Amino acid sequence: MSPAAAATPILKASHLLGIEGLSVGEITALLDLGDEYVALGRAKEKKSPLLKGRTVINLFFEASTRTQSSFELAGKRLGADVMNMSVRTSSVSKGETLIDTATTLNAMRPDILIVRHQDSGAAEMLARKLDCCVVNAGDGSHEHPTQALLDALTIRRRRRSFEELTVAICGDVAHSRVARSNIHLLSKMGARVRLVAPRTLLPADAARFGVEIFTDMREGLKGVDIVMMLRLQTERMTGAFIPSMREYFRFWGLDREKLAYAKPGALVMHPGPMNRGVEIDSAVADDIEVSLIHEQVEMGVAIRMAVLDALSRGLAQQGRNTP
Ligand code: NCD
C-alpha cells in the first residue's frame, strides 16, 4: 500500500459499530481497500507493516471460529500485536461485568478492540466508555458489519453492480445480525432485497426495512441472483419457532430443487457455521459452481484488514497514540 493511500481517511467515525451509520462512499472505499488486501493475501509475502506497534484485542463473549480467527489473522498480517481474550478463561466467568472487563483491557492501552457479545448494543456502549477504536464483531441479533462487508466484497467480485441484483436473505431473519447488516448494506448499494422466511422467523419490525417479504421459499427464490442462507440460531430462541428440524428442511432448507427457482447461474452464500441438512443441503453447499462459502471466508480476512487499516488511519489523523 502506498504511503499516499495510507493517509486518505475512509471512515468518518472512529469505530465500526454497524452498517446503518455508514455512507455509500464509506462502504465503497472499504470494499476497494478489501480488493487490495485480497491481492496481498494471495501473494507469497502476505504482510504489511501498517499496524506495527499497535495493539489489537479480540474480546469474544460468544463462540466464534471464522470471525475471531480472521480478525486475528488480519491484525497479524498488518503487523499488530493481537491478543485473544476468551471469555471462558477470563474473570467474566467469575462474575465480572462486560464494562469492568473492558475498562481493565482499556488500561492496557489497546488501539483497537474487537468485541462480540450476546447483547444488542454492547459494542456501542463500550465505544462510549473506552478510549480505543471499537469494532462490532456481532452484538446479539443487532449488527455484524464486517460480515455484511465481506459478503458485499464477495458479491461485487462476481457481479460488479449491486443495482442489477436481487438478493434473497433466507431463513432465521428474526435472530440474525448478519441479515440486519446485509439488509442495510445491500439496500444502500441499490440491490433489491427480499426476506424469505416463515412468519415465526421474521422480525416484528420487518416492514420498516422497506424490503420485499416472502413466506414461501419457492416464491421468494423466483428469479433471484443471490441466495443468502442463514443459520437457524437456536441459541437465541426462547420458544418453539419451528415444528422440527426435518420440517424446517423440507420447507426452508436450500436444496437443488428449491434453488432451481432462482435465476440460472444464481450464487449461494452462507456466513457459517452451517447446519447441514437443516438450512442447507450439502449437495448445494459443496457445489463449487454455485457456492461462494469458501470465497466468503477468504474475503473475511481481506475485509477485516481493510477495516483495521481504515480505523488506524483515523487514529493517525487524530494524533491518537501516534508514535
Ligand atoms: C454469524 C454470526 O456469528 O453472527 N457467523 C459468523 O460470524 N461467521 C452467523 C451465525 O452465527 O449464524
Side-chain angles (χ1 to χ4, degrees):
M1 234 111 306
S2 72
T8 315
I10 287 186
L11 294 171
K12 283 194 287 292
S14 45
H15 310 285
L16 178 65
L17 302 176
I19 298 295
E20 197 172 9
L22 294 184
S23 67
V24 170
E26 288 175 304
I27 294 168
T28 305
L30 283 171
L31 298 182
D32 292 346
L33 195 54
D35 270 327
E36 293 184 40
Y37 282 118
V38 174
L40 187 66
R42 289 179 181 180
K44 184 170 170 237
E45 173 58 59
K46 296 175 170 43
K47 291 193 76 159
S48 143
L50 199 79
L51 292 191
K52 191 164 173 287
R54 300 275 185 204
T55 300
V56 175
I57 298 184
N58 265 333
L59 177 60
F60 277 63
F61 291 85
E62 278 185 346
S64 166
T65 311
R66 280 162 216 40
T67 307
Q68 184 166 352
S69 57
S70 71
F71 267 115
E72 181 179 353
L73 202 52
K76 286 180 172 165
R77 284 189 179 166
L78 291 173
D81 289 320
V82 183
M83 188 183 86
N84 285 307
M85 236 349 239
S86 158
V87 174
R88 258 150 288 157
T89 58
S90 80
S91 29
V92 172
S93 51
K94 298 177 199 152
E96 200 171 78
T97 64
L98 163 67
I99 200 73
D100 284 338
T101 306
T103 45
T104 302
L105 293 176
N106 196 41
M108 297 176 188
R109 303 187 63 84
D111 298 286
I112 303 178
L113 180 74
I114 320 288
V115 65
R116 167 169 287 192
H117 196 274
Q118 58 279 9
D119 293 343
S120 301
E124 196 186 338
M125 200 248 301
L126 292 182
R128 275 191 263 111
K129 304 246 182 211
L130 308 182
D131 303 324
C132 57
C133 302
V134 174
V135 179
N136 181 6
D139 61 329
S141 50
H142 176 229
E143 279 235 36
H144 189 356
T146 57
Q147 179 69 45
L149 287 164
L150 77 87
D151 289 340
L153 184 61
T154 310
I155 294 172
R156 197 179 76 165
R157 290 173 67 90
R158 290 297 196 116
R159 287 292 189 264
R160 301 287 153 206
S161 159
F162 290 101
E163 272 135 34
E164 292 155 17
L165 296 181
T166 303
V167 181
I169 302 179
C170 308
D172 188 359
V173 181
H175 300 99
S176 175
R177 52 201 177 202
V178 173
R180 240 164 264 266
S181 290
N182 265 304
I183 292 167
H184 289 307
L185 192 150
L186 293 165
S187 307
K188 278 177 203 270
M189 301 307 280
R192 290 180 62 178
V193 179
R194 294 181 181 181
L195 302 183
V196 184
R199 269 179 220 291
T200 49
L201 293 178
L202 276 169
D205 59 350
R208 108 177 154 91
F209 294 116
V211 297
E212 294 173 89
I213 294 172
F214 291 81
T215 52
D216 178 273
M217 182 88 166
R218 292 172 181 83
E219 280 300 313
L221 291 186
K222 268 188 196 156
V224 305
D225 300 273
I226 308 278
V227 185
M228 199 178 267
M229 296 308 300
L230 300 170
R231 181 175 65 88
L232 201 58
Q233 312 241 318
T234 46
E235 77 277 19
R236 292 188 217 290
M237 294 182 187
T238 48
F241 287 81
I242 55 161
S244 71
M245 296 293 179
R246 265 184 65 186
E247 281 280 279
Y248 187 80
F249 183 70
R250 193 165 146 233
F251 290 103
W252 299 98
L254 184 68
D255 54 14
R256 287 197 192 281
E257 185 268 323
K258 294 190 197 77
L259 182 59
Y261 285 81
K263 201 180 263 180
L267 297 167
V268 173
M269 304 175 78
H270 191 302
M274 278 184 279
N275 295 308
R276 291 170 180 268
V278 178
E279 70 263 356
I280 193 162
D281 188 13
S282 288
V284 174
D286 300 334
D287 179 351
I288 54 166
E289 296 297 316
V290 300
S291 169
L292 298 180
I293 295 168
H294 292 296
E295 259 168 73
Q296 287 174 272
V297 178
E298 181 184 8
M299 297 309 132
V301 179
I303 216 69
R304 285 165 183 131
M305 290 175 83
V307 166
L308 295 178
D309 178 342
L311 290 173
S312 79
R313 294 181 196 202
L315 285 171
Q317 292 269 315
Q318 298 156 20
R320 263 212 285 169
N321 303 335
T322 318

